[in-house]
Amino acid sequence: MRKTLWATAILLAIHISVNAQSQNFRPFKVDFLLGYATPNGNLSNLHGKGGVAISLEPKYNISDNLAIGLKGEVAALEVVSNSTSTSDEYSARTVGSVIVTGEYSFGNVVRPFLGAGLGIYNFGSVDVVTNSSNNSTQRVNGGSNFGFAPRIGLQIGHFRLAIEDNIVKDNNYLSFKAGVTFGGGRR
């Protein structure tokens, strides 16, 4: 009885996933984006200068409007704290993430979208403090935290623009990215 129940559940899941596939767009696509990342939240009070973000995100179109994916991203942020007459502090941070994403698109040709992601963010930082007597100290920190990333953007054909707010404990950053989508076009 149990085996029959499991077999029925598996066949039902396969049937739903086959029928839930996108009707007008190809099922698989990959987004490649590059852009500007700027610290915000806890980091923004340190006069962040910003940096670069690069991401790769394979996705599956569940329907014409709904896609799920897995995004890998690396962001390098430069953060400089307040300088005083006796010391200067420089801090550089990198954040790498792997998150599960979901996205809902509107329209057919010009496609605005809303989405979000949840996952693990790994971060590293190097802090250098130099005082007026030319002594300097250096700290290297790292760790990982769970984070959330809401996003909004616009897809025009295979060209993509996105704004994403990465909300991670002590390592928040906002990214503005542009890129291309490989695959996933109209059938």
Side-chain angles (χ1 to χ4, degrees):
M1 179 66 178
R2 260 185 136 170
K3 289 180 183 179
T4 306
L5 182 61
W6 277 109
T8 304
I10 290 171
L11 289 174
L12 182 61
I14 291 170
H15 175 72
I16 290 171
S17 67
V18 168
N19 288 334
Q21 182 178 327
S22 174
Q23 298 298 314
N24 295 315
F25 294 90
R26 290 193 169 80
F28 292 101
K29 61 183 174 181
V30 177
D31 296 335
F32 176 74
L33 295 125
L34 179 66
Y36 177 74
T38 183
N40 66 0
N42 294 339
L43 297 179
S44 63
N45 61 356
L46 298 174
H47 306 293
K49 290 187 176 180
V52 64
I54 185 169
S55 67
L56 186 68
E57 183 176 355
K59 294 182 186 167
Y60 178 76
N61 289 327
I62 293 174
S63 69
D64 284 341
N65 299 94
L66 185 62
I68 58 171
L70 184 66
K71 182 185 84 162
E73 181 171 88
V74 176
L77 307 170
E78 181 181 15
V79 182
V80 179
S81 71
N82 293 328
S83 296
T84 66
S85 60
T86 58
S87 69
D88 292 319
E89 183 177 337
Y90 172 78
S91 178
R93 299 190 189 274
T94 58
V95 181
S97 62
V98 176
I99 64 176
V100 175
T101 63
E103 189 172 280
Y104 189 84
S105 299
F106 305 90
N108 286 321
V109 178
V110 175
R111 302 188 79 194
F113 62 85
L114 295 172
L118 294 169
I120 299 294
Y121 289 76
N122 295 307
F123 60 91
S125 67
V126 176
D127 301 317
V128 178
V129 178
T130 306
N131 60 29
S132 60
S133 59
N134 289 330
N135 293 331
S136 98
T137 59
Q138 197 171 27
R139 292 184 318 245
V140 177
N141 299 317
S144 63
N145 282 316
F146 186 75
F148 174 66
R151 66 168 80 157
I152 187 169
L154 184 65
Q155 179 103 21
I156 303 170
H158 288 280
F159 179 71
R160 185 173 179 85
L161 294 170
I163 299 171
E164 189 171 68
D165 190 8
N166 295 272
I167 303 166
V168 189
K169 181 182 177 193
D170 299 328
N171 289 289
N172 298 344
Y173 66 96
L174 184 66
S175 61
F176 304 90
K177 297 179 282 193
V180 295
T181 298
F182 299 99
R186 295 188 71 79
R187 291 181 184 228

